[in-house]
Amino acid sequence: MPRRVTRTTLRSMTHLPPPAEELRLLDAELRQLDARRSQLLTRRAWLVAALQQTRQQSRPWASAQPPITASPRPETAAPSVQNVLLVLGGVLLTLAAAVFTLVSWGQMGIAGRALVLGAVTLATLAAPVALLKRGLRSTAESVAGLGLALTVLDAYALHAAALSGTDGTGYTAAASAVLAATWSAYGLLPVTSALRLPLPSALAAAQFPLLLSALAADASPYTITAALLVTAGLDAVAVARLAAGAVRITAVVGAYGMGGWGVLGAGWLSLTAGGPGDASRAGALLLLAAAIALGAAWRGPGVGHALGLAITAGLLVVAALGGVARSGLPSEWVVPAHLAVGVALLAAVRAGRLPDTIRTGFAWASGSVQALAVLWTLPVVAVVLLGPAGWLGRVWRDAPSDARTAVLVEAPWPPDAEVAPVVLVGVAAVLALAVRAQVWRPRARLGALGLLWATALILPAVLEIPYPAGLLVLGVMTAAALYACRVTASAAQVTALVLALVTAAGLTLVSLASQSATLVVLSGLTVLFAAASWRAGVAPFTAPAALVYAAALASASGAAADWPAARTALLVLLVPAAAALLAPRLGASRATVPVEAVGAALGLFAVALAVTDPPMLALVLALCGVIAAGTALRAERHAVGYAATTLFVLAAWVRLAAWDVGTPEAYTLPVTVPALLVGALRRRRDPQASSWTAYGPGLAATLVPSLVAAWADPHWTRPLLLGVAALLVTLLGARHHLGAPLVLGGSALALVTLHELAPYVVQVTGALPRWAPPALAGLLLLALGATYEQRIRDVRRVREVLGKLN
């Protein structure tokens, strides 16, 4: 269809006004809508006001009525308020009764007193019956509590009025018994059995009759303690027979409280017993307490309480029998006697008639006694292990006569230590023979091994055997422990290794008393640990130990030969050298890193020995550098090359300092030359490496110190040589397009030139003007720049050339 025909047809079909006309029409329509909306809003506001006025006229009371608000939430529940009121009322009435009894009692006659007491008490005790019938249980409980309090006041009033001549303690004992019986009868009546207060109160009052009766009779401490224990036993019987509730809780508290005081009293009597008779009576009291605890554990419903009571019963048996034995034995055999009783408890564990809980409790009690016995031997073991450390301050002074003198350098010998081996062997035997559970048996055997080791450790000092024999015993123990490291079990192997290391350390300390002993012991330990290193499992520990003992042997050998410490360092260096030779043979073994670490540490030790002699220190540093360089030849240890370079540089510096050389270039050139060689090798392997990384440190190490020295040097030789060197470095940087030599050399050359052209600098020579060397250098640089100008044609090539300056 032609384009003209299409436009004509669309005009005849649809009328579209121009945009300006259409916009005008839309604006007019919007103005009409706004006006209509304003009219509607005004009409709405008038209607709302009219409706509000009509409502107020029809209900004139609405404006005076306050707004309805939500009622506040009560903060206290009704039962809580009730209980507080009842308790407060009971307390107030009790206080009023007490005041009446104490103040107004004497103003009335006997008949009036009896009438008032009887009427008030009977009325108060009878009131809960009526209250319970009406369902007022809480009120009944409060009134019953008031009645119980009144009975106490009645007992006091009776003693004050009619029985004032009787003994107060005895009367209190009788009154507490009567009150306990009365309250129990009152609580068990059918009409008052619903009350919860009388029976616990009766049980609480029943705690005092026996104790107070014993005190009133001026009984002995044994009788008083027996009264406490009998009361606790009666409480235990009540606990076993009563059901759960307040009464049973009261009985439990009474049993633990009175029983605890009774056990403390019996234990004190056992400790302070003056003879076998007193010890036997105290032991009988402890056995009574044990029987009460055992009976409570047998019938106790709770497993936790039963286990604790069984453990307590076992410990009380040990304390009782051990206390009796203590009164007839020497002081050193007291602990073995208690240990024997504790071990005898295991026979009860084997008895099949006892419940499992009691058997477990006896086992724990026996274990506790054995643990306490082992703790008693720890001071002896500590003195034997740590006492020889005192020889570090008095090496090779005088050889001791026996093994005990060898360990008692500064620490005193513990008392009663002669029986410590007996205790350790006894506990070890129990662990090895009595423990049969599959889970605990391996651990028990390890524990027995440790106790036997402790026995062998302290036995030479206990028996005071000769000093060489004591050293031999420790050496045999170390060899045996290292031989035991051959076992495959990891726990046993670790235990044997720890024992070997500890024994070897103690043997080394003890040997410091004698020069010959030190050399022999260190030689033997070096051989033993080196031989044990063939086992891969313990090599990470034994191989470093062998190196340490070898270094100690080298140091001791130098000291025995009267060598100075700096000269002895050469002997010590043999050990790091051996470690460096041994490490490649170990390969990927776990012992490689420990061997290398100990070798490095011993190298530092050798350096520390030689630090007082500069020439020898330089030699030691150089030898350490040789060892490090040999280590760096290994593919996985190339990084050690940096340490080797550092050691060589330090050796050169120390040697120059020993020669009193003050020229800085003598110290910097040994650093610069290796650094530049390393940089050249790196650039050869990696052409993309930056010249600042490859050559920058080496050049700066010499140029910067020399430049500082040249500025402070009044002579002409150093500036001239430094200027020539800086010029050569600059030319090499320009020739090979290297940024670091070009910048560093050019900067040094410019600063030297500035120094030479300064007015306060000495003339270079009398014949050559001072401007001649700088002028020649400038001409050379201009000639070089001219050649570059011929080669560079445009800006793009200039940028490429500058980009090549690394």
Side-chain angles (χ1 to χ4, degrees):
M1 183 181 298
R3 187 175 181 181
R4 294 180 181 178
V5 175
T6 303
R7 289 182 178 178
T8 305
T9 305
L10 290 176
R11 283 198 191 103
S12 60
M13 292 175 62
T14 305
H15 176 69
L16 295 176
E21 182 64 18
E22 185 176 2
L23 181 60
R24 185 183 63 80
L25 294 174
L26 290 176
D27 291 339
E29 189 70 18
L30 289 174
R31 283 194 296 269
Q32 293 177 3
L33 291 175
D34 290 338
R36 182 59 178 169
R37 185 174 184 275
S38 301
Q39 294 176 0
L40 295 175
L41 289 176
T42 303
R43 181 62 179 174
R44 181 183 180 279
W46 183 86
L47 291 174
V48 170
L51 288 174
Q52 291 179 352
Q53 185 176 4
T54 303
R55 290 178 181 177
Q56 292 180 358
Q57 291 176 358
S58 61
R59 293 184 300 174
W61 51 269
S63 59
Q65 185 178 4
I68 300 175
T69 58
S71 60
R73 182 180 180 181
E75 296 181 357
T76 307
S80 300
V81 175
Q82 166 192 308
N83 294 333
V84 170
L85 293 177
L86 292 175
V87 171
L88 183 59
V91 171
L92 292 177
L93 289 175
T94 303
L95 292 176
V99 171
F100 169 77
T101 303
L102 297 175
V103 178
S104 302
W105 179 256
Q107 301 176 2
M108 302 177 63
I110 297 177
R113 299 171 187 174
L115 182 60
V116 171
L117 284 174
V120 173
T121 304
L122 291 176
T124 305
L125 293 176
V129 178
L131 294 173
L132 288 174
K133 290 181 179 180
R134 295 188 177 185
L136 302 176
R137 182 172 180 176
S138 298
T139 306
E141 292 284 356
S142 299
V143 176
L146 176 61
L148 299 181
L150 287 175
T151 57
V152 177
L153 293 176
D154 292 342
Y156 169 76
L158 179 62
H159 178 269
L163 302 174
S164 58
T166 60
D167 179 61
T169 306
Y171 178 79
T172 305
S176 59
V178 172
L179 289 175
T182 302
W183 292 348
S184 298
Y186 180 71
L188 294 175
L189 292 175
V191 293
T192 57
S193 59
L195 296 175
R196 293 177 293 181
L197 189 59
L199 292 180
S201 301
L203 191 57
Q207 306 298 315
F208 303 102
L210 291 178
L211 175 61
L212 294 177
S213 299
L215 293 175
D218 292 331
S220 64
Y222 297 94
T223 305
I224 296 174
T225 305
L228 290 171
L229 293 176
V230 170
T231 304
L234 295 175
D235 290 331
V237 173
V239 171
R241 293 182 176 274
L242 294 173
V247 184
R248 191 174 188 276
I249 293 175
T250 306
V252 170
V253 173
Y256 278 112
M258 303 302 283
W261 283 110
V263 168
L264 289 177
W268 176 255
L269 293 174
S270 178
L271 290 175
T272 57
D278 294 339
S280 299
R281 283 184 287 175
L285 292 174
L286 289 173
L287 289 177
L288 174 60
I292 295 172
L294 184 61
W298 200 308
R299 296 181 178 273
V303 177
H305 285 278
L307 181 60
L309 290 171
I311 295 174
T312 303
L315 294 177
L316 289 175
V317 170
V318 174
L321 301 180
V324 174
R326 181 176 62 249
S327 62
L329 293 175
S331 60
E332 61 268 16
W333 289 99
V334 172
V335 174
H338 284 80
L339 177 61
V341 178
V343 173
L345 280 179
L346 296 177
V349 176
R350 300 296 181 187
R353 296 181 180 180
L354 294 177
D356 292 340
T357 304
I358 295 179
R359 295 169 60 190
T360 304
F362 279 1
W364 278 103
S366 177
S368 301
V369 173
Q370 296 176 53
L372 292 174
V374 172
L375 287 177
W376 177 77
T377 64
L378 286 184
V380 185
V381 179
V383 168
V384 174
L385 277 178
L386 304 179
W391 291 110
L392 293 173
R394 51 181 80 178
V395 178
W396 298 351
R397 294 217 177 156
D398 51 350
S401 59
D402 53 63
R404 182 179 296 186
T405 308
V407 300
L408 296 181
V409 184
E410 296 178 356
W413 185 247
D416 302 331
E418 289 74 12
V419 296
V422 177
V423 173
L424 293 173
V425 170
V427 178
V430 172
L431 290 176
L433 301 176
V435 180
R436 299 181 179 180
Q438 295 296 329
V439 178
W440 292 98
R441 189 168 180 79
R443 304 175 188 177
R445 288 182 175 180
L446 291 179
L449 176 63
L451 293 177
L452 292 177
W453 168 82
T455 304
L457 182 69
I458 66 175
L459 197 60
V462 171
L463 299 179
E464 297 185 73
I465 64 176
Y467 175 65
L471 293 177
L472 181 61
V473 170
L474 293 177
V476 171
M477 289 175 59
T478 304
L482 289 175
Y483 181 79
C485 292
R486 299 177 57 191
V487 297
T488 57
S490 59
Q493 189 179 74
V494 171
T495 303
L497 178 61
V498 171
L499 295 181
L501 293 174
V502 174
T503 309
L507 175 60
T508 303
L509 292 175
V510 173
S511 68
L512 295 178
S514 171
Q515 175 179 326
S516 58
T518 301
L519 296 176
V520 172
V521 166
L522 291 177
S523 300
L525 291 178
T526 302
V527 173
L528 285 176
F529 280 95
S533 300
W534 290 102
R535 294 288 301 176
V538 296
F541 304 96
T542 55
L547 294 176
V548 170
Y549 285 116
L553 176 61
S555 301
S557 301
D562 292 331
W563 285 5
R567 190 175 179 184
T568 305
L570 297 177
L571 286 177
V572 176
L573 276 181
L574 296 176
V575 181
L581 295 175
L582 177 63
R585 297 181 178 273
L586 296 176
S589 173
R590 293 188 297 121
T592 303
V593 175
V595 166
E596 292 177 339
V598 172
L602 294 177
L604 293 177
F605 174 66
V607 172
L609 290 176
V611 74
T612 57
D613 188 352
M616 188 61 67
L617 177 60
L619 178 59
V620 170
L621 288 172
L623 293 177
C624 290
V626 172
I627 297 173
T631 303
L633 295 177
R634 294 160 54 191
E636 67 278 8
R637 294 291 185 268
H638 284 329
V640 184
Y642 296 104
T645 304
T646 303
L647 290 171
F648 284 130
V649 170
L650 291 176
W653 286 359
V654 173
R655 184 73 263 182
L656 292 173
W659 287 336
D660 295 330
V661 175
T663 304
E665 289 78 9
Y667 295 90
T668 58
L669 287 177
V671 178
T672 297
V673 173
L676 292 178
L677 291 177
V678 172
L681 291 176
R682 182 173 181 180
R683 289 273 299 179
R684 185 175 180 180
R685 294 179 180 178
D686 184 12
Q688 300 299 324
S690 174
S691 63
W692 288 100
T693 304
Y695 304 117
L699 293 175
T702 295
L703 291 177
V704 174
S706 299
L707 187 60
V708 173
W711 272 76
D713 193 351
H715 302 287
W716 60 270
T717 307
R718 185 187 301 277
L720 178 61
L721 295 177
L722 179 60
V724 172
L727 179 60
L728 292 177
V729 170
T730 305
L731 293 177
L732 289 175
R735 172 66 180 82
H736 297 283
H737 305 283
L738 299 175
L742 183 62
V743 174
L744 293 177
S747 301
L749 181 61
L751 292 174
V752 171
T753 301
L754 180 62
H755 172 268
E756 289 300 309
L757 293 179
Y760 301 103
V761 180
V762 182
Q763 300 290 337
V764 177
T765 58
L768 185 64
R770 63 183 182 182
W771 49 265
L776 293 176
L779 290 175
L780 181 61
L781 293 176
L782 288 176
L784 183 62
T787 57
Y788 274 107
E789 186 178 3
Q790 294 177 2
R791 297 179 181 179
I792 300 173
R793 297 297 182 182
D794 51 15
V795 178
R796 185 173 183 181
R797 295 189 61 185
V798 171
R799 292 179 179 176
E800 294 177 358
V801 172
L802 293 178
K804 293 179 181 180
L805 295 177
N806 294 324

